[in-house]
């Protein structure tokens, strides 16, 4: 992880927030390559759920919502973690995760084990960030930064249903920021206080929920495979009765094997009619669905798929990172699937003379009209290849003296390091073929 974090900073994937002021705890900024990588992850999610399906609509709800939403959802009362403080070292720990923590004064022990530890009784701590709306900082004007995007979907479910003319079963998908005042954030962008979720709520007839739950499990695991993640590093974790969230009847996590262990990257939940019935009760508005074919009215059940955009981006980075010895030299490669690679093509003139830079510049601009590309004429060609390997560029096109005679260029493949020649005028169509789904 240390090597990955350092590469991520050095090559412009992820920076610490407000770094020049010493950073802000577990908040991160995405640099030029990171923003492309994360966008590719989000775009693939949106395409597979919204563009490629007829039964899912998109939504972009506001972060700030009526405070009653969070009472109805159960977050005001129940979105808490149990906390203990140490009176000696003034550190704070999750009472239910003490065995994962280390005593700051004696790191070989867990908090509470060292003779000097003096822990308080556990207290419940709400994870929602609070702020005030309007000019008055008083309890009547409290609003929350949403801790999940799902509620924006539930409160808009009837709007989307009637405006899109969908029928049940159908889904609503949304990508957006969520905020949690996590007690034990960490592992780089794995658990942060500000993050993005990619959530889809699928509304079904009660009784058909478990069948859809199983279908969505299969679809979502398939999506992670299509991102290029190693199947052997993905597995299911079923929530036992003690683990289920307050809204869930059944839940599975998709877990990935990180260097710090198996961890959740996405949750699939059967949320029953919990959220819609609570919003119906708290808002006083009927949220029932009228099914014309049967003449029945019912509150739909909801199957939710919820993935973190940052967490999936981290997964893609971890999965792609490899080091290998080539000719007694270490080669660092981010072996991204070409579909998510931030830069699709490097364009390299072999030398800075004989008209090669002019041809390479034209080629670079031709590629840039379709795909992100990078032009590099600095240093030995081997070094330039390594620089592109390190940021995961799948192909480099080298313009050399043969280009002048036969209008061909060298394509150098990142993973195999093999080279072949293709026509200069066919580079963009060649790229399109490689990147086709
Ligand atoms: N709407 C359901 C929900 O929010 P969750 O299991 O709490 O369920 C879903 O979160 C996903 O959101 C997680 O699988 C993870 O990918 C991401 N996530 C949750 N908390 C996060 C955090 N503090 N930092 C980064 N990602 C987080």
């Amino acid at each position: 992880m240390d090597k990955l974090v350092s590469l991520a900073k050095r090559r412009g994937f992820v920076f610490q927030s407000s770094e020049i002021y010493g950073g802000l705890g577990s908040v991160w900024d995405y640099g030029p390559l990171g923003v492309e990588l994360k966008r590719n992850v989000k775009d693939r999610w949106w395409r597979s759920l919204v563009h490629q399906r007829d039964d899912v609509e998109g939504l972009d709800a506001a972060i700030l919502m009526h405070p009653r939403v969070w009472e109805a959802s159960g977050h005001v009362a129940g979105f808490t973690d149990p906390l203990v403080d140490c009176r000696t070292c003034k550190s704070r720990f999750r009472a239910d995760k003490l065995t994962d923590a280390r005593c700051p004064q004696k790191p070989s022990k867990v908090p509470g084990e060292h003779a000097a530890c003096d822990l308080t009784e556990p207290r419940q701590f709400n994870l929602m960030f609070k702020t005030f709306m309007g000019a008055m900082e008083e309890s009547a004007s409290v609003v929350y930064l949403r801790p999940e995007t799902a509620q924006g979907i539930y409160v808009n479910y009837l709007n989307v249903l009637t405006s899109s003319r969908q029928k049940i079963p159908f889904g609503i998908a949304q990508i957006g920021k969520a905020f949690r005042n996590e007690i034990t954030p960490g592992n780089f962008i794995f658990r942060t206080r500000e993050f993005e979720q990619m959530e889809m709520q699928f509304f079904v007839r009660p009784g058909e929920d478990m069948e859809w739950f199983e279908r969505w499990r299969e679809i979502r695991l398939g999506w992670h495979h299509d991102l290029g993640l190693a199947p052997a590093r993905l597995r299911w974790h079923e929530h036992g009765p003690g683990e289920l969230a307050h809204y869930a009847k059944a839940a599975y996590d998709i877990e990935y094997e990180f260097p710090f262990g198996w961890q959740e990257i996405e949750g699939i939940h059967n949320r029953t009619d919990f959220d819609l019935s609570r919003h119906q009760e708290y808002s006083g508005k009927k949220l029932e669905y009228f099914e014309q074919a049967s003449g029945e009215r019912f509150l739909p059940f909801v199957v939710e798929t919820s993935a973190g955009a940052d967490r999936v981006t981290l997964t893609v980075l971890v999965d792609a990172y490899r080091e290998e010895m080539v000719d007694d030299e270490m080669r660092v490669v981010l072996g991204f699937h070409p579909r998510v690679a931030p830069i699709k093509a490097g364009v390299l003139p072999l030398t800075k003379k004989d008209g090669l830079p002019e041809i390479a510049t034209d080629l670079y601009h031709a590629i840039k009209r379709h795909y992100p590309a990078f032009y590099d004429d600095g240093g030995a060609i081997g070094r330039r290849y390594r620089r592109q390997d390190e940021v995961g560029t799948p192909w480099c096109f080298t313009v050399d003296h043969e280009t002048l005679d036969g209008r061909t260029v060298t394509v150098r493949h990142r993973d195999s390091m093999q080279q072949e020649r293709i026509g200069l005028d066919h580079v963009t169509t060649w790229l399109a073929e490689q990147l086709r789904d």
Side-chain angles (χ1 to χ4, degrees), residues 128-295:
M128 282 196 293
F129 279 97
K130 260 185 204 171
T131 187
F132 301 96
M133 196 165 213
M136 307 296 277
E137 291 199 7
E138 58 186 19
S139 59
S141 56
V142 162
V143 286
Y144 299 96
L145 301 187
R146 67 182 175 199
E148 62 168 9
T149 59
Q151 300 301 325
I153 294 181
Y154 300 134
V155 300
N156 276 297
Y157 131 84
L158 271 188
N159 287 337
V160 175
L161 184 68
T162 46
S163 58
S164 64
R165 307 187 56 187
Q166 285 282 358
K167 290 190 176 62
I168 273 172
F170 86 107
I172 305 177
Q174 165 163 243
I175 298 177
K177 290 271 186 178
F179 302 82
R180 295 182 189 177
N181 199 0
E182 301 277 6
I183 316 304
T184 50
N187 283 324
F188 195 29
I189 52 171
F190 178 80
R191 182 171 290 107
T192 56
R193 295 195 166 106
E194 173 178 342
F195 54 98
E196 263 183 294
Q197 288 189 313
M198 308 184 287
E199 296 202 303
M200 193 276 313
Q201 315 295 318
F202 203 75
F203 300 86
V204 304
R205 220 184 132 79
E208 293 178 4
D209 47 314
M210 283 314 286
E211 188 189 318
W212 276 105
F213 180 70
E214 290 305 327
R215 250 194 248 185
W216 278 110
R217 277 182 57 199
E218 194 182 317
I219 295 170
R220 292 306 305 150
L221 186 62
W223 183 81
H224 289 279
H225 289 160
D226 284 351
L227 264 190
L229 299 182
R233 296 214 194 108
L234 291 165
R235 73 174 187 194
W236 286 109
H237 166 73
E238 183 179 8
H239 284 216
E243 274 177 284
L244 284 174
H246 60 276
Y247 49 71
K249 161 176 155 186
Y252 275 86
D253 294 337
I254 296 174
E255 291 188 336
Y256 180 82
E257 191 179 18
F258 288 96
F260 45 89
W262 285 95
Q263 297 285 345
E264 167 189 351
I265 56 173
E266 169 157 358
I268 324 289
H269 312 125
N270 180 343
R271 292 181 75 134
T272 68
D273 60 357
F274 174 85
D275 299 272
L276 289 185
S277 63
R278 295 274 288 201
H279 286 306
Q280 183 164 267
E281 183 191 335
Y282 279 65
S283 68
K285 294 274 183 326
K286 276 247 165 293
L287 297 178
E288 283 175 341
Y289 176 75
F290 176 66
E291 191 177 62
Q292 244 159 4
S294 64

Side-chain angles (χ1 to χ4, degrees), residues 80-85 92-96 120-127 182-184:
T80 54
D81 276 343
L83 272 191
V84 291
D85 289 299
R92 185 163 270 189
F93 309 98
R94 283 232 345 228
D96 55 339
T120 62
E121 285 301 305
R123 287 176 299 126
Q124 291 301 326
F125 172 80
N126 197 296
L127 301 183
E182 301 277 6
I183 316 304
T184 50

